[in-house]
Amino acid sequence: MENNVHVPDPAEAREALANIDTVQRAVRDTPWPTWLYPVNAALLGAMTLTFALGEDGFAFLLAAGAVLIAVNMLAGYRMGTPFTLPTSRTFLALAFTAIGCLLAAFIVAELTARQWPIIVLAVASTALYLAAGVVHRRSTGAPR
């Protein structure tokens, strides 16, 4: 047996759900600290460059990945918004493309011994994430 005395009508339920969506969007679109964008970009670039090191780069890849996760988790907890991704589709597309460059560097490292494509992919990964940071700052209306 339920203890709900008041059962909302459909209009009240829709309004409550709309309010929840508004609050969730506000949390997801909270601007990140400005320093976080270049730090993430540098860590993604460093992770991409680890594939140029061959077998020795795996430990550096894991270390850079752990630092990336730790920095973002700590920043998220300090902001009160851990485990959230922004709603900006352009930001998400650029960020996932930057991660795609990281994965492409892995494939290139497996298929060839040349290092210049890995360096190009590292630069592309860093630049794409920096562009994503600019898009995110502008989409949140945060001061520049």
Side-chain angles (χ1 to χ4, degrees):
M1 177 172 241
E2 291 190 27
N3 294 332
N4 292 342
V5 177
H6 173 71
V7 177
D9 63 22
E12 288 176 331
R14 276 192 297 278
E15 182 180 343
L17 289 174
N19 290 339
I20 290 171
D21 184 50
T22 303
V23 169
Q24 285 179 341
R25 186 168 287 278
V27 167
R28 291 178 69 189
D29 288 337
T30 300
W32 294 351
T34 304
W35 60 266
L36 191 58
Y37 302 106
V39 168
N40 282 343
L43 287 169
L44 273 174
M47 289 173 68
T48 306
L49 283 176
T50 61
F51 294 112
L53 300 174
E55 297 285 325
D56 299 330
F58 186 68
F60 292 111
L61 175 69
L62 289 179
V67 170
L68 179 77
I69 291 169
V71 164
N72 282 280
M73 291 293 296
L74 290 173
Y77 277 114
R78 290 194 75 205
M79 292 171 42
T81 58
F83 309 114
T84 60
L85 286 175
T87 57
S88 168
R89 289 184 180 159
T90 307
F91 169 83
L92 293 173
L94 287 168
F96 284 119
T97 305
I99 293 169
C101 289
L102 178 108
L103 297 174
F106 170 73
I107 293 168
V108 167
E110 291 294 317
L111 297 178
T112 183
R114 293 185 178 167
Q115 304 215 347
W116 69 266
I118 295 171
I119 294 169
V120 169
L121 287 166
V123 170
S125 177
T126 303
L128 284 165
Y129 195 86
L130 286 173
V134 169
V135 166
H136 185 240
R137 290 297 285 186
R138 288 188 178 173
S139 71
T140 60
R144 289 169 192 83

